[in-house]
Amino acid sequence: MSRIIFWLALVFLVIFAIRSKIREAQKRHQQQFRQSQQPPAPTPAPGYKARAATQAANDAEVMLQCAHCGVFYPASETVQANGRDYCSAAHAALPSA
Ligand SMILES: [Zn+2]
């Protein structure tokens, strides 16, 4: 009798394992199906990379070097003194070496 119970339990376990595997595969298949249904990403027009590069160059700000400490900083933050560019008012106020 215990043998029959053992084999029944084994059969149930195998069936359960197979069903969970099938469900997993179905989920994966549905995800792939959904991803394939999404509209494809818009294809960039020719010359897209070149245009992106020029746009990045236009967006980039001119960098200046501080006459005192030598650090590079955006030109919009410059502090001019004695015809020289400085990174901060503190460096502009310091006597130039
Ligand atoms: Zn400085």
Side-chain angles (χ1 to χ4, degrees):
M1 184 67 193
S2 62
R3 271 194 178 175
I4 293 171
I5 293 171
F6 169 77
W7 284 111
L8 274 175
L10 191 70
V11 167
F12 274 116
L13 275 175
V14 169
I15 289 172
F16 181 77
I18 291 172
R19 284 182 75 177
S20 66
K21 279 274 177 196
I22 289 172
R23 219 172 284 158
E24 212 172 275
Q26 279 179 338
K27 262 188 196 170
R28 216 176 297 146
H29 184 257
Q30 279 180 346
Q31 277 181 346
Q32 284 175 349
F33 182 68
R34 262 183 234 136
Q35 281 174 352
S36 68
Q37 271 196 331
Q38 283 173 352
T43 49
Y48 163 78
K49 271 192 178 174
R51 249 183 290 135
T54 53
Q55 191 177 358
N58 290 339
D59 289 346
E61 198 171 350
V62 175
M63 301 296 278
L64 296 174
Q65 189 174 16
C66 178
H68 178 75
C69 63
V71 91
F72 285 91
Y73 58 93
S76 61
E77 296 174 16
T78 189
V79 178
Q80 286 192 324
N82 308 321
R84 300 171 91 176
D85 296 316
Y86 296 91
C87 66
S88 62
H91 282 179
L94 287 171
S96 55

Coordinates of all heavy atoms in Angstrom, one line a residue:
M1 N 0.8 -1.2 0.0 CA 0.0 0.0 0.0 C 0.9 1.3 0.0 O 0.6 2.2 -0.7 CB -0.9 0.0 1.3 CG -1.9 1.1 1.3 SD -3.1 1.0 0.0 CE -3.8 2.6 0.1
S2 N 1.9 1.2 0.8 CA 2.8 2.4 0.9 C 3.5 2.6 -0.5 O 3.8 3.8 -0.8 CB 3.8 2.3 2.0 OG 4.6 1.1 1.8
R3 N 3.7 1.5 -1.2 CA 4.4 1.7 -2.5 C 3.5 2.5 -3.5 O 3.9 3.3 -4.2 CB 4.7 0.3 -3.1 CG 6.1 -0.2 -2.7 CD 6.4 -1.4 -3.5 NE 7.8 -1.8 -3.1 CZ 8.3 -2.9 -3.7 NH1 7.7 -3.6 -4.5 NH2 9.5 -3.2 -3.3
I4 N 2.2 2.1 -3.4 CA 1.2 2.8 -4.3 C 1.2 4.3 -4.0 O 1.2 5.1 -4.9 CB -0.2 2.2 -4.1 CG1 -0.1 0.7 -4.7 CG2 -1.2 3.0 -4.9 CD1 -1.4 -0.1 -4.4
I5 N 1.2 4.6 -2.7 CA 1.1 6.0 -2.3 C 2.4 6.7 -2.8 O 2.4 7.9 -3.3 CB 1.0 6.2 -0.8 CG1 -0.4 5.7 -0.4 CG2 1.2 7.6 -0.3 CD1 -0.6 5.5 1.1
F6 N 3.6 6.0 -2.6 CA 4.8 6.6 -3.1 C 4.8 6.9 -4.6 O 5.2 8.0 -5.0 CB 6.0 5.6 -2.8 CG 7.3 6.0 -3.4 CD1 8.0 7.1 -2.9 CD2 7.7 5.4 -4.5 CE1 9.2 7.4 -3.5 CE2 8.9 5.7 -5.1 CZ 9.7 6.7 -4.6
W7 N 4.3 6.0 -5.4 CA 4.3 6.2 -6.8 C 3.3 7.2 -7.2 O 3.6 8.1 -8.1 CB 4.0 4.9 -7.5 CG 5.2 4.0 -7.6 CD1 5.4 2.8 -6.9 CD2 6.4 4.2 -8.3 NE1 6.6 2.3 -7.1 CE2 7.3 3.1 -8.0 CE3 6.9 5.2 -9.1 CZ2 8.6 3.0 -8.5 CZ3 8.1 5.1 -9.6 CH2 9.0 4.0 -9.3
L8 N 2.2 7.3 -6.5 CA 1.2 8.3 -6.8 C 1.8 9.7 -6.5 O 1.6 10.7 -7.3 CB -0.1 8.1 -5.9 CG -1.1 7.2 -6.5 CD1 -2.3 7.0 -5.5 CD2 -1.7 7.7 -7.8
A9 N 2.5 9.8 -5.4 CA 3.1 11.1 -5.0 C 4.1 11.5 -6.0 O 4.2 12.7 -6.4 CB 3.7 11.0 -3.6
L10 N 4.9 10.5 -6.5 CA 5.9 10.8 -7.5 C 5.3 11.3 -8.8 O 5.8 12.3 -9.4 CB 6.8 9.5 -7.7 CG 8.0 9.7 -8.5 CD1 9.0 10.5 -7.7 CD2 8.6 8.4 -9.0
V11 N 4.2 10.6 -9.2 CA 3.5 11.0 -10.4 C 3.0 12.4 -10.3 O 3.2 13.3 -11.2 CB 2.4 10.0 -10.8 CG1 1.5 10.6 -11.8 CG2 3.0 8.7 -11.2
F12 N 2.4 12.8 -9.1 CA 1.9 14.1 -9.0 C 3.0 15.2 -9.0 O 2.8 16.2 -9.6 CB 1.1 14.2 -7.6 CG -0.3 13.8 -7.7 CD1 -0.8 12.7 -7.1 CD2 -1.2 14.5 -8.5 CE1 -2.1 12.3 -7.2 CE2 -2.5 14.1 -8.7 CZ -3.0 13.0 -8.0
L13 N 4.1 14.8 -8.4 CA 5.2 15.8 -8.4 C 5.7 16.0 -9.8 O 6.0 17.2 -10.2 CB 6.4 15.2 -7.5 CG 6.3 15.5 -6.0 CD1 7.4 14.8 -5.3 CD2 6.4 17.0 -5.8
V14 N 5.8 14.9 -10.6 CA 6.3 15.1 -12.0 C 5.3 16.0 -12.8 O 5.7 16.9 -13.5 CB 6.5 13.7 -12.6 CG1 6.7 13.8 -14.1 CG2 7.7 13.0 -12.0
I15 N 4.0 15.7 -12.6 CA 3.0 16.4 -13.3 C 3.1 17.9 -12.9 O 3.0 18.8 -13.8 CB 1.6 15.9 -13.0 CG1 1.5 14.5 -13.8 CG2 0.5 16.8 -13.5 CD1 0.2 13.8 -13.4
F16 N 3.2 18.2 -11.6 CA 3.3 19.6 -11.1 C 4.5 20.3 -11.7 O 4.4 21.4 -12.2 CB 3.4 19.5 -9.6 CG 3.5 20.9 -9.0 CD1 2.3 21.7 -8.9 CD2 4.7 21.4 -8.5 CE1 2.4 23.0 -8.4 CE2 4.7 22.7 -8.0 CZ 3.6 23.5 -7.9
A17 N 5.7 19.6 -11.8 CA 6.9 20.2 -12.3 C 6.7 20.5 -13.8 O 7.1 21.6 -14.2 CB 8.1 19.2 -12.1
I18 N 6.1 19.5 -14.5 CA 5.9 19.8 -16.0 C 5.0 21.0 -16.2 O 5.2 21.8 -17.0 CB 5.4 18.5 -16.6 CG1 6.5 17.4 -16.6 CG2 4.9 18.8 -18.0 CD1 6.0 16.0 -17.1
R19 N 3.9 21.0 -15.4 CA 2.9 22.1 -15.6 C 3.6 23.5 -15.3 O 3.3 24.4 -16.0 CB 1.7 21.9 -14.7 CG 0.8 20.8 -15.2 CD -0.4 20.7 -14.3 NE -1.4 21.8 -14.5 CZ -2.5 21.9 -13.9 NH1 -2.9 20.9 -13.1 NH2 -3.3 22.9 -14.1
S20 N 4.4 23.5 -14.2 CA 5.0 24.8 -13.9 C 6.0 25.2 -15.0 O 6.1 26.4 -15.3 CB 5.7 24.8 -12.5 OG 6.8 23.9 -12.6
K21 N 6.7 24.2 -15.6 CA 7.6 24.5 -16.7 C 6.9 25.1 -17.9 O 7.3 26.0 -18.5 CB 8.4 23.2 -17.1 CG 9.5 22.9 -16.2 CD 10.8 23.6 -16.7 CE 11.9 23.4 -15.7 NZ 13.0 24.3 -15.9
I22 N 5.7 24.4 -18.2 CA 4.9 24.9 -19.3 C 4.4 26.3 -19.1 O 4.4 27.2 -20.0 CB 3.7 23.9 -19.5 CG1 4.3 22.6 -20.1 CG2 2.7 24.5 -20.5 CD1 3.2 21.5 -20.2
R23 N 3.9 26.6 -17.8 CA 3.4 27.9 -17.5 C 4.5 29.0 -17.7 O 4.3 30.1 -18.2 CB 2.9 27.9 -16.1 CG 1.6 28.8 -16.0 CD 1.0 28.6 -14.6 NE 0.3 27.3 -14.4 CZ 0.1 26.8 -13.3 NH1 0.4 27.4 -12.2 NH2 -0.6 25.6 -13.2
E24 N 5.8 28.6 -17.2 CA 6.9 29.5 -17.4 C 7.2 29.8 -18.8 O 7.4 31.0 -19.2 CB 8.1 28.8 -16.7 CG 9.1 29.8 -16.1 CD 10.2 29.0 -15.4 OE1 10.0 28.7 -14.2 OE2 11.2 28.7 -16.0
A25 N 7.2 28.8 -19.6 CA 7.4 29.0 -21.1 C 6.3 29.8 -21.7 O 6.6 30.7 -22.6 CB 7.5 27.6 -21.8
Q26 N 5.1 29.6 -21.3 CA 4.0 30.4 -21.9 C 4.2 31.9 -21.5 O 3.9 32.8 -22.3 CB 2.6 29.9 -21.3 CG 2.1 28.7 -22.1 CD 0.8 28.2 -21.5 OE1 0.5 28.5 -20.4 NE2 0.1 27.4 -22.3
K27 N 4.5 32.1 -20.2 CA 4.8 33.5 -19.8 C 5.8 34.2 -20.7 O 5.7 35.3 -21.1 CB 5.2 33.6 -18.3 CG 4.0 33.8 -17.4 CD 4.6 34.0 -16.0 CE 3.5 33.9 -14.9 NZ 4.0 33.9 -13.6
R28 N 6.9 33.4 -20.9 CA 8.0 34.0 -21.7 C 7.6 34.3 -23.1 O 7.9 35.3 -23.7 CB 9.2 33.0 -21.6 CG 10.5 33.7 -21.6 CD 11.7 32.7 -21.5 NE 11.7 31.9 -20.2 CZ 12.1 30.7 -20.1 NH1 12.5 30.0 -21.2 NH2 12.0 30.1 -19.0
H29 N 6.8 33.3 -23.6 CA 6.3 33.5 -25.0 C 5.4 34.7 -25.1 O 5.5 35.5 -26.0 CB 5.6 32.2 -25.4 CG 5.1 32.3 -26.8 ND1 3.8 32.5 -27.2 CD2 5.8 32.1 -28.0 CE1 3.7 32.5 -28.5 NE2 4.9 32.2 -29.0
Q30 N 4.5 34.9 -24.1 CA 3.6 36.1 -24.1 C 4.4 37.4 -24.0 O 4.1 38.3 -24.7 CB 2.6 36.0 -22.9 CG 1.4 35.1 -23.2 CD 0.5 35.0 -22.0 OE1 0.8 35.5 -21.0 NE2 -0.7 34.5 -22.3
Q31 N 5.4 37.4 -23.2 CA 6.3 38.6 -23.1 C 6.9 38.9 -24.4 O 6.9 40.1 -24.9 CB 7.3 38.4 -22.0 CG 6.8 38.7 -20.6 CD 7.9 38.5 -19.6 OE1 8.9 38.0 -19.9 NE2 7.6 39.0 -18.4
Q32 N 7.4 37.8 -25.1 CA 8.1 38.1 -26.4 C 7.0 38.6 -27.4 O 7.3 39.5 -28.2 CB 8.7 36.8 -26.9 CG 10.0 36.4 -26.2 CD 10.6 35.1 -26.6 OE1 9.9 34.3 -27.3 NE2 11.8 34.9 -26.3
F33 N 5.8 38.0 -27.3 CA 4.7 38.4 -28.2 C 4.4 39.9 -28.0 O 4.3 40.7 -28.9 CB 3.5 37.6 -28.0 CG 2.4 37.9 -28.9 CD1 2.5 37.6 -30.3 CD2 1.2 38.4 -28.4 CE1 1.4 37.9 -31.1 CE2 0.2 38.7 -29.3 CZ 0.3 38.4 -30.6
R34 N 4.3 40.3 -26.7 CA 4.0 41.7 -26.4 C 5.1 42.6 -26.9 O 4.8 43.7 -27.4 CB 3.8 41.9 -24.9 CG 2.3 41.9 -24.5 CD 2.2 42.1 -23.0 NE 1.4 41.1 -22.4 CZ 1.7 40.5 -21.3 NH1 2.7 40.8 -20.6 NH2 0.9 39.5 -20.8
Q35 N 6.3 42.2 -26.7 CA 7.4 43.1 -27.1 C 7.4 43.2 -28.7 O 7.7 44.2 -29.2 CB 8.8 42.5 -26.7 CG 9.0 42.8 -25.2 CD 10.3 42.1 -24.7 OE1 10.8 41.2 -25.4 NE2 10.7 42.4 -23.5
S36 N 7.1 42.1 -29.4 CA 7.0 42.2 -30.8 C 5.9 43.0 -31.3 O 5.9 43.5 -32.4 CB 7.0 40.7 -31.4 OG 5.7 40.2 -31.1
Q37 N 4.8 43.1 -30.5 CA 3.6 43.9 -30.9 C 3.9 45.4 -30.7 O 3.2 46.2 -31.3 CB 2.4 43.5 -30.0 CG 1.6 42.4 -30.7 CD 0.3 42.3 -30.0 OE1 0.1 42.6 -28.9 NE2 -0.7 41.8 -30.8
Q38 N 4.8 45.8 -29.8 CA 5.1 47.2 -29.6 C 5.6 47.8 -30.9 O 6.3 47.1 -31.7 CB 6.1 47.4 -28.5 CG 5.5 47.2 -27.2 CD 6.6 47.2 -26.1 OE1 7.7 47.2 -26.3 NE2 6.1 47.2 -24.8
P39 N 5.2 49.0 -31.2 CA 5.7 49.6 -32.5 C 7.2 49.8 -32.5 O 7.8 50.1 -31.4 CB 5.0 51.0 -32.4 CG 4.7 51.3 -31.0 CD 4.4 49.9 -30.4
P40 N 7.8 49.5 -33.6 CA 9.2 49.6 -33.6 C 9.7 51.0 -33.4 O 9.0 52.0 -33.7 CB 9.6 49.2 -35.1 CG 8.3 49.4 -35.8 CD 7.2 49.2 -34.9
A41 N 10.9 51.2 -32.8 CA 11.4 52.5 -32.5 C 11.6 53.2 -33.8 O 12.0 52.7 -34.9 CB 12.8 52.3 -31.8
P42 N 11.3 54.5 -33.8 CA 11.5 55.3 -35.0 C 12.9 55.2 -35.5 O 13.8 55.5 -34.8 CB 11.1 56.7 -34.6 CG 11.2 56.7 -33.2 CD 10.9 55.4 -32.7
T43 N 13.0 54.9 -36.8 CA 14.4 54.8 -37.4 C 14.9 56.2 -37.6 O 14.2 57.1 -38.1 CB 14.3 54.1 -38.7 OG1 13.3 54.6 -39.5 CG2 14.0 52.6 -38.5
P44 N 16.1 56.5 -37.1 CA 16.7 57.8 -37.3 C 16.9 58.1 -38.8 O 17.3 57.2 -39.6 CB 18.0 57.7 -36.5 CG 18.3 56.3 -36.4 CD 17.0 55.5 -36.4
A45 N 16.7 59.3 -39.1 CA 16.9 59.8 -40.5 C 18.4 59.7 -40.8 O 19.2 59.8 -39.9 CB 16.4 61.2 -40.7
P46 N 18.7 59.6 -42.1 CA 20.1 59.6 -42.5 C 20.8 60.9 -42.0 O 20.2 61.9 -42.1 CB 20.1 59.4 -44.0 CG 18.7 59.6 -44.4 CD 17.8 59.4 -43.2
G47 N 22.0 60.8 -41.6 CA 22.7 61.9 -41.1 C 22.4 62.3 -39.7 O 22.8 63.3 -39.2
Y48 N 21.7 61.3 -39.1 CA 21.2 61.6 -37.7 C 22.4 61.7 -36.8 O 22.5 62.6 -35.9 CB 20.4 60.4 -37.2 CG 20.2 60.3 -35.7 CD1 19.3 61.2 -35.1 CD2 20.9 59.4 -35.0 CE1 19.1 61.1 -33.7 CE2 20.7 59.3 -33.7 CZ 19.8 60.1 -33.0 OH 19.7 60.0 -31.7
K49 N 23.4 60.9 -36.9 CA 24.6 60.9 -36.1 C 25.4 62.2 -36.2 O 25.8 62.8 -35.3 CB 25.5 59.7 -36.3 CG 25.1 58.5 -35.5 CD 26.2 57.4 -35.6 CE 25.8 56.3 -34.7 NZ 26.8 55.2 -34.9
A50 N 25.5 62.6 -37.5 CA 26.3 63.8 -37.7 C 25.5 65.0 -37.1 O 26.2 65.9 -36.5 CB 26.4 64.0 -39.2
R51 N 24.2 65.0 -37.3 CA 23.4 66.1 -36.7 C 23.5 66.1 -35.2 O 23.6 67.2 -34.6 CB 22.0 66.1 -37.2 CG 21.6 67.2 -38.1 CD 20.2 67.2 -38.5 NE 19.9 66.0 -39.4 CZ 18.8 65.3 -39.2 NH1 18.0 65.5 -38.3 NH2 18.6 64.2 -40.1
A52 N 23.4 64.9 -34.6 CA 23.5 64.8 -33.1 C 24.9 65.3 -32.7 O 25.0 66.0 -31.6 CB 23.3 63.4 -32.7
A53 N 25.9 65.0 -33.4 CA 27.3 65.5 -33.1 C 27.4 67.0 -33.1 O 27.9 67.6 -32.2 CB 28.3 64.9 -34.0
T54 N 26.8 67.6 -34.2 CA 26.9 69.1 -34.3 C 26.1 69.7 -33.2 O 26.4 70.8 -32.6 CB 26.4 69.6 -35.7 OG1 25.2 69.0 -35.9 CG2 27.4 69.2 -36.7
Q55 N 24.9 69.1 -32.9 CA 24.1 69.6 -31.8 C 24.8 69.6 -30.5 O 24.8 70.5 -29.7 CB 22.8 68.9 -31.7 CG 21.7 69.6 -30.8 CD 20.4 68.8 -30.8 OE1 20.2 67.8 -31.4 NE2 19.5 69.3 -30.0
A56 N 25.5 68.5 -30.2 CA 26.3 68.4 -29.0 C 27.3 69.4 -28.9 O 27.6 70.0 -27.9 CB 26.9 67.0 -28.9
A57 N 28.0 69.7 -30.1 CA 29.0 70.7 -30.1 C 28.4 72.1 -29.9 O 29.1 72.9 -29.2 CB 29.7 70.6 -31.5
N58 N 27.2 72.3 -30.4 CA 26.6 73.6 -30.1 C 26.2 73.8 -28.7 O 26.2 74.9 -28.1 CB 25.3 73.8 -31.0 CG 25.7 73.9 -32.5 OD1 26.9 74.3 -32.8 ND2 24.8 73.6 -33.4
D59 N 25.7 72.6 -28.1 CA 25.3 72.7 -26.7 C 26.5 72.9 -25.7 O 26.3 73.4 -24.7 CB 24.5 71.4 -26.3 CG 23.2 71.4 -27.0 OD1 22.7 72.4 -27.5 OD2 22.5 70.3 -27.0
A60 N 27.6 72.4 -26.1 CA 28.8 72.5 -25.3 C 29.2 73.9 -25.1 O 29.2 74.7 -26.1 CB 29.9 71.7 -25.9
E61 N 29.5 74.3 -23.9 CA 29.9 75.6 -23.6 C 31.4 75.8 -23.7 O 32.2 74.9 -23.4 CB 29.4 76.0 -22.2 CG 29.4 77.5 -22.0 CD 28.7 77.9 -20.7 OE1 28.2 77.0 -20.0 OE2 28.8 79.0 -20.3
V62 N 31.8 77.0 -24.1 CA 33.2 77.3 -24.2 C 33.8 77.3 -22.8 O 33.2 77.8 -21.9 CB 33.5 78.6 -24.9 CG1 34.9 79.0 -24.9 CG2 32.9 78.6 -26.3
M63 N 35.0 76.6 -22.7 CA 35.6 76.5 -21.4 C 36.8 77.5 -21.3 O 37.5 77.6 -22.3 CB 36.1 75.1 -21.1 CG 35.0 74.1 -21.1 SD 33.8 74.3 -19.8 CE 34.6 73.5 -18.4
L64 N 37.0 78.1 -20.2 CA 38.1 79.0 -20.1 C 39.0 78.5 -18.9 O 38.5 77.8 -18.1 CB 37.6 80.5 -19.8 CG 36.8 81.1 -20.9 CD1 36.3 82.5 -20.3 CD2 37.7 81.4 -22.1
Q65 N 40.3 79.0 -18.9 CA 41.2 78.5 -17.9 C 41.4 79.7 -16.9 O 41.7 80.8 -17.4 CB 42.5 78.1 -18.5 CG 43.4 77.4 -17.5 CD 44.7 76.8 -18.1 OE1 45.0 77.1 -19.2 NE2 45.3 76.0 -17.3
C66 N 41.3 79.4 -15.7 CA 41.6 80.5 -14.7 C 43.0 80.9 -14.7 O 43.9 80.1 -14.8 CB 41.2 80.0 -13.3 SG 41.5 81.2 -12.0
A67 N 43.2 82.2 -14.7 CA 44.6 82.8 -14.8 C 45.3 82.5 -13.5 O 46.6 82.6 -13.4 CB 44.6 84.3 -15.1
H68 N 44.6 82.3 -12.4 CA 45.3 82.1 -11.1 C 45.5 80.6 -10.8 O 46.7 80.2 -10.6 CB 44.4 82.6 -10.0 CG 45.0 82.4 -8.6 ND1 46.1 83.1 -8.2 CD2 44.7 81.5 -7.6 CE1 46.4 82.7 -7.0 NE2 45.6 81.7 -6.6
C69 N 44.5 79.8 -10.8 CA 44.6 78.4 -10.4 C 44.7 77.4 -11.6 O 45.1 76.2 -11.4 CB 43.5 77.9 -9.5 SG 41.9 78.0 -10.2
G70 N 44.4 77.9 -12.8 CA 44.5 77.0 -14.0 C 43.4 76.1 -14.2 O 43.5 75.2 -15.1
V71 N 42.4 76.1 -13.4 CA 41.2 75.2 -13.5 C 40.4 75.7 -14.7 O 40.3 76.9 -15.0 CB 40.4 75.2 -12.2 CG1 39.3 76.2 -12.2 CG2 39.8 73.8 -12.0
F72 N 39.8 74.8 -15.4 CA 38.9 75.1 -16.5 C 37.5 75.2 -16.0 O 37.0 74.4 -15.2 CB 39.0 74.0 -17.6 CG 40.3 74.1 -18.4 CD1 41.4 73.4 -18.0 CD2 40.3 74.9 -19.5 CE1 42.6 73.5 -18.7 CE2 41.5 75.0 -20.3 CZ 42.6 74.3 -19.9
Y73 N 36.7 76.2 -16.5 CA 35.4 76.5 -16.0 C 34.6 77.0 -17.2 O 35.2 77.5 -18.2 CB 35.4 77.4 -14.9 CG 36.1 78.7 -15.2 CD1 35.3 79.8 -15.7 CD2 37.5 78.9 -15.2 CE1 35.9 81.0 -16.0 CE2 38.1 80.1 -15.5 CZ 37.3 81.1 -16.0 OH 37.9 82.3 -16.3
P74 N 33.2 77.0 -17.2 CA 32.4 77.5 -18.2 C 32.6 79.0 -18.4 O 32.7 79.7 -17.4 CB 31.0 77.2 -17.8 CG 31.1 76.1 -16.8 CD 32.4 76.3 -16.1
A75 N 32.6 79.4 -19.7 CA 32.9 80.9 -20.0 C 31.8 81.8 -19.4 O 32.1 82.9 -19.1 CB 32.9 81.1 -21.5
S76 N 30.6 81.2 -19.1 CA 29.5 82.1 -18.6 C 29.8 82.4 -17.1 O 29.2 83.3 -16.6 CB 28.2 81.3 -18.7 OG 28.2 80.1 -17.9
E77 N 30.7 81.7 -16.4 CA 31.0 81.9 -15.0 C 32.3 82.8 -14.8 O 32.7 82.9 -13.7 CB 31.1 80.6 -14.3 CG 29.8 79.8 -14.3 CD 30.0 78.4 -13.7 OE1 31.0 78.2 -13.0 OE2 29.2 77.5 -13.9
T78 N 32.8 83.3 -15.9 CA 34.1 84.0 -15.8 C 34.0 85.3 -15.0 O 32.9 85.9 -15.0 CB 34.6 84.2 -17.2 OG1 36.0 84.7 -17.1 CG2 33.8 85.3 -18.0
V79 N 35.0 85.6 -14.4 CA 35.2 86.9 -13.7 C 36.4 87.5 -14.3 O 37.5 87.0 -14.2 CB 35.4 86.7 -12.1 CG1 35.6 88.0 -11.4 CG2 34.2 85.9 -11.6
Q80 N 36.2 88.6 -14.9 CA 37.3 89.3 -15.6 C 37.9 90.4 -14.7 O 37.2 91.1 -14.1 CB 36.9 89.9 -16.9 CG 36.6 88.8 -18.0 CD 36.5 89.4 -19.4 OE1 35.9 90.4 -19.6 NE2 37.0 88.7 -20.4
A81 N 39.2 90.4 -14.7 CA 40.0 91.5 -13.9 C 41.3 91.7 -14.6 O 42.0 90.7 -14.9 CB 40.1 91.0 -12.5
N82 N 41.7 92.9 -14.8 CA 42.9 93.2 -15.4 C 43.1 92.5 -16.8 O 44.2 92.1 -17.2 CB 44.1 92.9 -14.5 CG 43.9 93.4 -13.1 OD1 43.5 94.6 -13.0 ND2 44.3 92.7 -12.1
G83 N 42.0 92.4 -17.5 CA 42.1 91.8 -18.9 C 42.3 90.3 -18.8 O 42.6 89.7 -19.8
R84 N 42.2 89.7 -17.7 CA 42.4 88.2 -17.6 C 41.1 87.6 -17.0 O 40.3 88.2 -16.4 CB 43.6 87.9 -16.7 CG 44.9 88.5 -17.2 CD 46.0 88.4 -16.2 NE 46.7 87.1 -16.4 CZ 47.8 86.8 -15.8 NH1 48.3 87.5 -14.8 NH2 48.5 85.7 -16.0
D85 N 41.0 86.3 -17.3 CA 39.8 85.5 -16.9 C 40.1 84.7 -15.6 O 41.2 84.0 -15.6 CB 39.4 84.6 -18.0 CG 38.9 85.4 -19.2 OD1 38.2 86.4 -19.1 OD2 39.3 85.0 -20.4
Y86 N 39.2 84.7 -14.7 CA 39.4 84.0 -13.4 C 38.1 83.1 -13.2 O 37.0 83.5 -13.6 CB 39.6 84.9 -12.3 CG 40.9 85.7 -12.4 CD1 40.9 87.0 -13.0 CD2 42.1 85.2 -11.9 CE1 42.0 87.7 -13.1 CE2 43.2 85.9 -12.0 CZ 43.2 87.2 -12.6 OH 44.4 87.9 -12.7
C87 N 38.3 82.1 -12.4 CA 37.2 81.2 -12.1 C 36.2 81.7 -11.1 O 35.1 81.3 -11.0 CB 37.7 79.8 -11.7 SG 38.6 79.8 -10.1
S88 N 36.7 82.6 -10.2 CA 35.9 83.2 -9.2 C 36.4 84.6 -8.8 O 37.5 85.0 -9.2 CB 36.0 82.3 -7.9 OG 37.3 82.2 -7.5
A89 N 35.5 85.3 -8.1 CA 35.8 86.6 -7.7 C 37.0 86.6 -6.7 O 37.9 87.5 -6.7 CB 34.6 87.3 -7.0
A90 N 37.1 85.5 -5.9 CA 38.2 85.4 -5.0 C 39.5 85.3 -5.7 O 40.5 86.0 -5.3 CB 38.0 84.2 -4.1
H91 N 39.6 84.6 -6.8 CA 40.8 84.4 -7.5 C 41.1 85.7 -8.3 O 42.3 86.1 -8.5 CB 40.8 83.2 -8.5 CG 41.0 81.9 -7.7 ND1 41.0 80.7 -8.4 CD2 41.3 81.7 -6.4 CE1 41.2 79.8 -7.4 NE2 41.4 80.4 -6.3
A92 N 40.1 86.4 -8.7 CA 40.3 87.7 -9.5 C 40.9 88.7 -8.5 O 41.7 89.6 -8.9 CB 39.0 88.2 -10.1
A93 N 40.5 88.7 -7.2 CA 40.9 89.7 -6.3 C 42.3 89.4 -5.8 O 43.0 90.4 -5.4 CB 40.0 89.6 -5.0
L94 N 42.8 88.2 -6.0 CA 44.2 87.9 -5.5 C 45.2 88.5 -6.5 O 44.9 88.7 -7.6 CB 44.4 86.3 -5.5 CG 43.7 85.5 -4.5 CD1 43.8 84.1 -4.7 CD2 44.2 85.9 -3.1
P95 N 46.3 89.0 -5.9 CA 47.3 89.6 -6.8 C 47.9 88.5 -7.7 O 48.2 87.4 -7.3 CB 48.4 90.0 -5.8 CG 48.1 89.3 -4.5 CD 46.7 89.0 -4.5
S96 N 47.9 88.8 -9.0 CA 48.3 87.8 -10.0 C 49.8 87.6 -9.9 O 50.6 88.5 -9.7 CB 48.0 88.3 -11.4 OG 48.6 89.6 -11.6
A97 N 50.2 86.4 -9.9 CA 51.6 86.0 -9.7 C 52.4 86.3 -11.0 O 51.9 86.0 -12.1 CB 51.7 84.5 -9.4
Ligands
ZN1 ZN 40.9 80.0 -10.1

